[in-house]
Amino acid sequence: RVLFRSQLTADRIRSATPARSASEIDIPAPIRAFAEEAVRGRPSGSATLLALLARFTGPGTEFRYDQADDAPGGHGLFQINRLLKEHRGTAEQYASAYAVLARHLGYESRVVMGFRPQYADTSTTFTATERDVDAWAEVRFTDIGWVPFDSSPRANPVGGKDKPTPTPAQTNTTDPAREAANKQETP
């Protein structure tokens, strides 16, 4: 059974079982150390994935969402390592970092590219431009399907724009994974 995105809730994600990956990936020691530190003390499963999400987006995070027109692009191990050192990156880099770290921790994950439309005040229509291209990670759960994890710290912008990029809550949708991560107790 697979749930529609509108049926996802923080409670469902917290109680769901993430699918284990059939293959392991080898990543550099500093990236591996970051993943292990981020989830230390958490039980395996959704609590691990939510702790990783909170590390990027939780209150007081040092990570910044780079909105500068000249923000460095790319999503490989070099860019992930730079993101973890400089605490600054694009949606593409946060999505790839989260997917790689989740896969290292043993869970099926992928990066998804799409659009994050900017709705006008009361309008239900929008025009998508290159500025609306977005990326996020998804993790497969055995009982609810692929769940989006937006690891970009959108509330913590740097460069380019005066205002943070709207979160799903500001674009007429909710982000149940972020809600679940923010409600987790500390270990």
Side-chain angles (χ1 to χ4, degrees):
R1 177 181 144 178
V2 175
L3 296 178
F4 291 104
R5 182 177 169 92
S6 63
Q7 295 174 306
L8 284 176
T9 64
D11 289 337
R12 281 194 167 162
I13 293 170
R14 279 194 299 271
S15 64
T17 305
R20 299 300 295 188
S21 175
S23 62
E24 292 184 22
I25 61 170
D26 185 32
I27 58 177
I31 298 173
R32 190 171 48 249
F34 176 88
E36 292 161 6
E37 180 273 325
V39 303
R40 185 172 291 123
R42 297 287 182 186
S44 64
S46 61
T48 297
L49 295 165
L50 295 170
L52 183 59
L53 180 63
R55 182 67 177 86
F56 288 118
T57 64
T61 184
E62 70 274 20
F63 285 96
R64 306 289 304 269
Y65 181 59
D66 197 340
Q67 298 180 13
D69 288 335
D70 62 349
H75 56 268
L77 289 175
F78 173 81
Q79 288 84 0
I80 293 171
N81 195 49
R82 188 181 71 226
L83 169 78
L84 298 180
K85 283 182 181 176
E86 296 178 6
H87 302 127
R88 178 180 180 155
T90 64
E92 177 185 12
Q93 291 155 357
Y94 281 104
S96 61
Y98 189 89
V100 164
L101 295 168
R103 179 61 61 101
H104 165 70
L105 295 169
Y107 302 103
E108 259 187 67
S109 60
R110 65 186 181 191
V111 173
V112 179
M113 301 279 301
F115 292 95
R116 184 176 301 274
Q118 309 288 321
Y119 288 89
D121 296 327
T122 58
S123 177
T124 57
T125 63
F126 61 90
T127 301
T129 69
E130 67 276 356
R131 300 290 292 169
D132 299 318
V133 173
D134 201 8
W136 59 93
E138 290 184 346
V139 177
R140 193 173 73 79
F141 284 73
T142 58
D143 38 357
I144 58 177
W146 289 97
V147 174
F149 283 78
D150 182 0
S151 56
S152 296
R154 296 175 194 281
N156 218 8
V158 63
K161 298 179 185 174
D162 293 337
K163 294 192 278 185
T165 297
T167 63
Q170 295 167 321
T171 56
N172 302 332
T173 62
T174 59
D175 189 341
R178 195 170 289 191
E179 180 185 335
N182 289 338
K183 288 184 178 179
Q184 278 205 122
E185 297 174 20
T186 55

PDB file of all heavy atoms in Angstrom, residues 28-55:
ATOM      1  N   PRO A  28      33.750   8.928   1.564  1.00  0.00           N
ATOM      2  CA  PRO A  28      34.947   9.374   2.294  1.00  0.00           C
ATOM      3  C   PRO A  28      34.702   9.465   3.802  1.00  0.00           C
ATOM      4  O   PRO A  28      33.585   9.743   4.253  1.00  0.00           O
ATOM      5  CB  PRO A  28      35.234  10.753   1.694  1.00  0.00           C
ATOM      6  CG  PRO A  28      34.594  10.716   0.340  1.00  0.00           C
ATOM      7  CD  PRO A  28      33.375   9.856   0.499  1.00  0.00           C
ATOM      8  N   ALA A  29      35.751   9.270   4.559  1.00  0.00           N
ATOM      9  CA  ALA A  29      35.670   9.243   6.025  1.00  0.00           C
ATOM     10  C   ALA A  29      35.009  10.476   6.629  1.00  0.00           C
ATOM     11  O   ALA A  29      34.175  10.338   7.527  1.00  0.00           O
ATOM     12  CB  ALA A  29      37.054   9.010   6.624  1.00  0.00           C
ATOM     13  N   PRO A  30      35.313  11.705   6.189  1.00  0.00           N
ATOM     14  CA  PRO A  30      34.658  12.866   6.815  1.00  0.00           C
ATOM     15  C   PRO A  30      33.135  12.878   6.613  1.00  0.00           C
ATOM     16  O   PRO A  30      32.394  13.279   7.501  1.00  0.00           O
ATOM     17  CB  PRO A  30      35.300  14.073   6.123  1.00  0.00           C
ATOM     18  CG  PRO A  30      36.570  13.570   5.546  1.00  0.00           C
ATOM     19  CD  PRO A  30      36.346  12.123   5.236  1.00  0.00           C
ATOM     20  N   ILE A  31      32.676  12.439   5.453  1.00  0.00           N
ATOM     21  CA  ILE A  31      31.235  12.388   5.186  1.00  0.00           C
ATOM     22  C   ILE A  31      30.602  11.287   6.026  1.00  0.00           C
ATOM     23  O   ILE A  31      29.537  11.468   6.634  1.00  0.00           O
ATOM     24  CB  ILE A  31      30.971  12.194   3.674  1.00  0.00           C
ATOM     25  CG1 ILE A  31      31.541  13.387   2.896  1.00  0.00           C
ATOM     26  CG2 ILE A  31      29.485  12.034   3.403  1.00  0.00           C
ATOM     27  CD1 ILE A  31      31.491  13.236   1.387  1.00  0.00           C
ATOM     28  N   ARG A  32      31.266  10.143   6.105  1.00  0.00           N
ATOM     29  CA  ARG A  32      30.794   9.033   6.931  1.00  0.00           C
ATOM     30  C   ARG A  32      30.705   9.467   8.397  1.00  0.00           C
ATOM     31  O   ARG A  32      29.722   9.198   9.080  1.00  0.00           O
ATOM     32  CB  ARG A  32      31.738   7.839   6.750  1.00  0.00           C
ATOM     33  CG  ARG A  32      31.261   6.555   7.349  1.00  0.00           C
ATOM     34  CD  ARG A  32      32.110   5.348   6.954  1.00  0.00           C
ATOM     35  NE  ARG A  32      33.550   5.546   7.083  1.00  0.00           N
ATOM     36  CZ  ARG A  32      34.402   5.630   6.065  1.00  0.00           C
ATOM     37  NH1 ARG A  32      33.980   5.535   4.825  1.00  0.00           N
ATOM     38  NH2 ARG A  32      35.696   5.791   6.276  1.00  0.00           N
ATOM     39  N   ALA A  33      31.714  10.178   8.885  1.00  0.00           N
ATOM     40  CA  ALA A  33      31.740  10.639  10.282  1.00  0.00           C
ATOM     41  C   ALA A  33      30.588  11.604  10.558  1.00  0.00           C
ATOM     42  O   ALA A  33      29.973  11.556  11.631  1.00  0.00           O
ATOM     43  CB  ALA A  33      33.079  11.300  10.592  1.00  0.00           C
ATOM     44  N   PHE A  34      30.277  12.480   9.598  1.00  0.00           N
ATOM     45  CA  PHE A  34      29.157  13.406   9.768  1.00  0.00           C
ATOM     46  C   PHE A  34      27.854  12.628   9.954  1.00  0.00           C
ATOM     47  O   PHE A  34      27.055  12.931  10.847  1.00  0.00           O
ATOM     48  CB  PHE A  34      29.049  14.356   8.566  1.00  0.00           C
ATOM     49  CG  PHE A  34      27.853  15.256   8.649  1.00  0.00           C
ATOM     50  CD1 PHE A  34      27.923  16.476   9.304  1.00  0.00           C
ATOM     51  CD2 PHE A  34      26.637  14.887   8.082  1.00  0.00           C
ATOM     52  CE1 PHE A  34      26.821  17.305   9.388  1.00  0.00           C
ATOM     53  CE2 PHE A  34      25.522  15.702   8.165  1.00  0.00           C
ATOM     54  CZ  PHE A  34      25.622  16.916   8.822  1.00  0.00           C
ATOM     55  N   ALA A  35      27.626  11.635   9.101  1.00  0.00           N
ATOM     56  CA  ALA A  35      26.396  10.842   9.180  1.00  0.00           C
ATOM     57  C   ALA A  35      26.289  10.147  10.529  1.00  0.00           C
ATOM     58  O   ALA A  35      25.229  10.166  11.176  1.00  0.00           O
ATOM     59  CB  ALA A  35      26.356   9.810   8.050  1.00  0.00           C
ATOM     60  N   GLU A  36      27.354   9.536  10.964  1.00  0.00           N
ATOM     61  CA  GLU A  36      27.322   8.785  12.215  1.00  0.00           C
ATOM     62  C   GLU A  36      27.135   9.696  13.418  1.00  0.00           C
ATOM     63  O   GLU A  36      26.411   9.360  14.355  1.00  0.00           O
ATOM     64  CB  GLU A  36      28.574   7.911  12.305  1.00  0.00           C
ATOM     65  CG  GLU A  36      28.510   6.803  11.249  1.00  0.00           C
ATOM     66  CD  GLU A  36      29.829   6.144  10.917  1.00  0.00           C
ATOM     67  OE1 GLU A  36      30.846   6.447  11.579  1.00  0.00           O
ATOM     68  OE2 GLU A  36      29.847   5.341   9.971  1.00  0.00           O
ATOM     69  N   GLU A  37      27.730  10.892  13.384  1.00  0.00           N
ATOM     70  CA  GLU A  37      27.543  11.853  14.478  1.00  0.00           C
ATOM     71  C   GLU A  37      26.108  12.366  14.502  1.00  0.00           C
ATOM     72  O   GLU A  37      25.508  12.539  15.557  1.00  0.00           O
ATOM     73  CB  GLU A  37      28.534  13.018  14.324  1.00  0.00           C
ATOM     74  CG  GLU A  37      28.443  14.083  15.395  1.00  0.00           C
ATOM     75  CD  GLU A  37      27.421  15.161  15.082  1.00  0.00           C
ATOM     76  OE1 GLU A  37      27.249  15.529  13.906  1.00  0.00           O
ATOM     77  OE2 GLU A  37      26.774  15.632  16.036  1.00  0.00           O
ATOM     78  N   ALA A  38      25.536  12.615  13.336  1.00  0.00           N
ATOM     79  CA  ALA A  38      24.181  13.173  13.253  1.00  0.00           C
ATOM     80  C   ALA A  38      23.119  12.241  13.824  1.00  0.00           C
ATOM     81  O   ALA A  38      22.105  12.706  14.333  1.00  0.00           O
ATOM     82  CB  ALA A  38      23.845  13.512  11.799  1.00  0.00           C
ATOM     83  N   VAL A  39      23.361  10.936  13.749  1.00  0.00           N
ATOM     84  CA  VAL A  39      22.330   9.980  14.193  1.00  0.00           C
ATOM     85  C   VAL A  39      22.714   9.234  15.469  1.00  0.00           C
ATOM     86  O   VAL A  39      21.982   8.348  15.915  1.00  0.00           O
ATOM     87  CB  VAL A  39      21.982   8.976  13.069  1.00  0.00           C
ATOM     88  CG1 VAL A  39      21.518   9.719  11.817  1.00  0.00           C
ATOM     89  CG2 VAL A  39      23.153   8.065  12.741  1.00  0.00           C
ATOM     90  N   ARG A  40      23.839   9.596  16.054  1.00  0.00           N
ATOM     91  CA  ARG A  40      24.307   8.917  17.270  1.00  0.00           C
ATOM     92  C   ARG A  40      23.207   8.932  18.340  1.00  0.00           C
ATOM     93  O   ARG A  40      22.581   9.936  18.604  1.00  0.00           O
ATOM     94  CB  ARG A  40      25.557   9.594  17.812  1.00  0.00           C
ATOM     95  CG  ARG A  40      26.164   8.864  19.015  1.00  0.00           C
ATOM     96  CD  ARG A  40      27.500   9.436  19.426  1.00  0.00           C
ATOM     97  NE  ARG A  40      28.482   9.107  18.375  1.00  0.00           N
ATOM     98  CZ  ARG A  40      29.202  10.001  17.730  1.00  0.00           C
ATOM     99  NH1 ARG A  40      29.097  11.276  17.996  1.00  0.00           N
ATOM    100  NH2 ARG A  40      30.063   9.615  16.811  1.00  0.00           N
ATOM    101  N   GLY A  41      22.975   7.771  18.935  1.00  0.00           N
ATOM    102  CA  GLY A  41      21.994   7.656  20.003  1.00  0.00           C
ATOM    103  C   GLY A  41      20.575   7.434  19.533  1.00  0.00           C
ATOM    104  O   GLY A  41      19.668   7.274  20.347  1.00  0.00           O
ATOM    105  N   ARG A  42      20.348   7.425  18.239  1.00  0.00           N
ATOM    106  CA  ARG A  42      18.999   7.198  17.698  1.00  0.00           C
ATOM    107  C   ARG A  42      18.830   5.742  17.329  1.00  0.00           C
ATOM    108  O   ARG A  42      19.759   5.112  16.821  1.00  0.00           O
ATOM    109  CB  ARG A  42      18.767   8.032  16.437  1.00  0.00           C
ATOM    110  CG  ARG A  42      18.817   9.503  16.677  1.00  0.00           C
ATOM    111  CD  ARG A  42      17.589   9.946  17.401  1.00  0.00           C
ATOM    112  NE  ARG A  42      17.658  11.399  17.572  1.00  0.00           N
ATOM    113  CZ  ARG A  42      16.795  12.068  18.272  1.00  0.00           C
ATOM    114  NH1 ARG A  42      15.813  11.446  18.873  1.00  0.00           N
ATOM    115  NH2 ARG A  42      16.916  13.355  18.393  1.00  0.00           N
ATOM    116  N   PRO A  43      17.647   5.214  17.556  1.00  0.00           N
ATOM    117  CA  PRO A  43      17.398   3.846  17.080  1.00  0.00           C
ATOM    118  C   PRO A  43      17.358   3.835  15.554  1.00  0.00           C
ATOM    119  O   PRO A  43      17.123   4.872  14.937  1.00  0.00           O
ATOM    120  CB  PRO A  43      16.025   3.504  17.670  1.00  0.00           C
ATOM    121  CG  PRO A  43      15.391   4.814  17.967  1.00  0.00           C
ATOM    122  CD  PRO A  43      16.499   5.796  18.215  1.00  0.00           C
ATOM    123  N   SER A  44      17.611   2.687  14.957  1.00  0.00           N
ATOM    124  CA  SER A  44      17.554   2.621  13.497  1.00  0.00           C
ATOM    125  C   SER A  44      16.112   2.815  13.053  1.00  0.00           C
ATOM    126  O   SER A  44      15.186   2.713  13.831  1.00  0.00           O
ATOM    127  CB  SER A  44      18.110   1.293  12.993  1.00  0.00           C
ATOM    128  OG  SER A  44      17.303   0.238  13.449  1.00  0.00           O
ATOM    129  N   GLY A  45      15.952   3.118  11.785  1.00  0.00           N
ATOM    130  CA  GLY A  45      14.616   3.326  11.234  1.00  0.00           C
ATOM    131  C   GLY A  45      14.319   4.792  11.035  1.00  0.00           C
ATOM    132  O   GLY A  45      15.219   5.606  10.821  1.00  0.00           O
ATOM    133  N   SER A  46      13.047   5.136  11.122  1.00  0.00           N
ATOM    134  CA  SER A  46      12.650   6.507  10.829  1.00  0.00           C
ATOM    135  C   SER A  46      13.300   7.506  11.781  1.00  0.00           C
ATOM    136  O   SER A  46      13.606   8.632  11.386  1.00  0.00           O
ATOM    137  CB  SER A  46      11.135   6.653  10.838  1.00  0.00           C
ATOM    138  OG  SER A  46      10.609   6.334  12.105  1.00  0.00           O
ATOM    139  N   ALA A  47      13.573   7.132  13.025  1.00  0.00           N
ATOM    140  CA  ALA A  47      14.221   8.053  13.968  1.00  0.00           C
ATOM    141  C   ALA A  47      15.598   8.471  13.461  1.00  0.00           C
ATOM    142  O   ALA A  47      16.011   9.617  13.629  1.00  0.00           O
ATOM    143  CB  ALA A  47      14.330   7.421  15.352  1.00  0.00           C
ATOM    144  N   THR A  48      16.309   7.565  12.835  1.00  0.00           N
ATOM    145  CA  THR A  48      17.619   7.870  12.267  1.00  0.00           C
ATOM    146  C   THR A  48      17.482   8.873  11.126  1.00  0.00           C
ATOM    147  O   THR A  48      18.209   9.871  11.070  1.00  0.00           O
ATOM    148  CB  THR A  48      18.277   6.576  11.743  1.00  0.00           C
ATOM    149  OG1 THR A  48      18.488   5.702  12.838  1.00  0.00           O
ATOM    150  CG2 THR A  48      19.590   6.846  11.045  1.00  0.00           C
ATOM    151  N   LEU A  49      16.549   8.622  10.223  1.00  0.00           N
ATOM    152  CA  LEU A  49      16.357   9.504   9.076  1.00  0.00           C
ATOM    153  C   LEU A  49      15.884  10.891   9.507  1.00  0.00           C
ATOM    154  O   LEU A  49      16.301  11.905   8.944  1.00  0.00           O
ATOM    155  CB  LEU A  49      15.360   8.876   8.105  1.00  0.00           C
ATOM    156  CG  LEU A  49      15.859   7.580   7.457  1.00  0.00           C
ATOM    157  CD1 LEU A  49      14.717   6.833   6.806  1.00  0.00           C
ATOM    158  CD2 LEU A  49      16.970   7.887   6.462  1.00  0.00           C
ATOM    159  N   LEU A  50      15.051  10.952  10.526  1.00  0.00           N
ATOM    160  CA  LEU A  50      14.558  12.240  11.019  1.00  0.00           C
ATOM    161  C   LEU A  50      15.648  13.010  11.746  1.00  0.00           C
ATOM    162  O   LEU A  50      15.719  14.239  11.654  1.00  0.00           O
ATOM    163  CB  LEU A  50      13.329  12.028  11.902  1.00  0.00           C
ATOM    164  CG  LEU A  50      12.114  11.463  11.143  1.00  0.00           C
ATOM    165  CD1 LEU A  50      11.024  11.062  12.118  1.00  0.00           C
ATOM    166  CD2 LEU A  50      11.611  12.451  10.099  1.00  0.00           C
ATOM    167  N   ALA A  51      16.529  12.307  12.457  1.00  0.00           N
ATOM    168  CA  ALA A  51      17.657  12.969  13.120  1.00  0.00           C
ATOM    169  C   ALA A  51      18.591  13.583  12.081  1.00  0.00           C
ATOM    170  O   ALA A  51      19.102  14.689  12.266  1.00  0.00           O
ATOM    171  CB  ALA A  51      18.410  11.988  14.009  1.00  0.00           C
ATOM    172  N   LEU A  52      18.813  12.866  10.993  1.00  0.00           N
ATOM    173  CA  LEU A  52      19.645  13.388   9.916  1.00  0.00           C
ATOM    174  C   LEU A  52      19.005  14.638   9.306  1.00  0.00           C
ATOM    175  O   LEU A  52      19.682  15.645   9.075  1.00  0.00           O
ATOM    176  CB  LEU A  52      19.862  12.311   8.850  1.00  0.00           C
ATOM    177  CG  LEU A  52      20.772  12.655   7.687  1.00  0.00           C
ATOM    178  CD1 LEU A  52      22.170  13.032   8.164  1.00  0.00           C
ATOM    179  CD2 LEU A  52      20.832  11.471   6.729  1.00  0.00           C
ATOM    180  N   LEU A  53      17.708  14.608   9.080  1.00  0.00           N
ATOM    181  CA  LEU A  53      17.002  15.771   8.545  1.00  0.00           C
ATOM    182  C   LEU A  53      17.111  16.955   9.503  1.00  0.00           C
ATOM    183  O   LEU A  53      17.389  18.083   9.085  1.00  0.00           O
ATOM    184  CB  LEU A  53      15.527  15.424   8.299  1.00  0.00           C
ATOM    185  CG  LEU A  53      14.661  16.544   7.736  1.00  0.00           C
ATOM    186  CD1 LEU A  53      15.142  16.959   6.351  1.00  0.00           C
ATOM    187  CD2 LEU A  53      13.208  16.106   7.699  1.00  0.00           C
ATOM    188  N   ALA A  54      16.914  16.712  10.791  1.00  0.00           N
ATOM    189  CA  ALA A  54      16.980  17.776  11.789  1.00  0.00           C
ATOM    190  C   ALA A  54      18.380  18.392  11.852  1.00  0.00           C
ATOM    191  O   ALA A  54      18.530  19.582  12.147  1.00  0.00           O
ATOM    192  CB  ALA A  54      16.568  17.250  13.156  1.00  0.00           C
ATOM    193  N   ARG A  55      19.400  17.602  11.568  1.00  0.00           N
ATOM    194  CA  ARG A  55      20.778  18.124  11.594  1.00  0.00           C
ATOM    195  C   ARG A  55      20.962  19.244  10.565  1.00  0.00           C
ATOM    196  O   ARG A  55      21.667  20.206  10.798  1.00  0.00           O
ATOM    197  CB  ARG A  55      21.764  16.978  11.324  1.00  0.00           C
ATOM    198  CG  ARG A  55      23.207  17.369  11.375  1.00  0.00           C
ATOM    199  CD  ARG A  55      23.621  17.765  12.807  1.00  0.00           C
ATOM    200  NE  ARG A  55      25.028  18.076  12.861  1.00  0.00           N
ATOM    201  CZ  ARG A  55      25.533  19.283  12.593  1.00  0.00           C
ATOM    202  NH1 ARG A  55      24.755  20.273  12.270  1.00  0.00           N
ATOM    203  NH2 ARG A  55      26.838  19.478  12.658  1.00  0.00           N
TER     204      ARG A  55
END
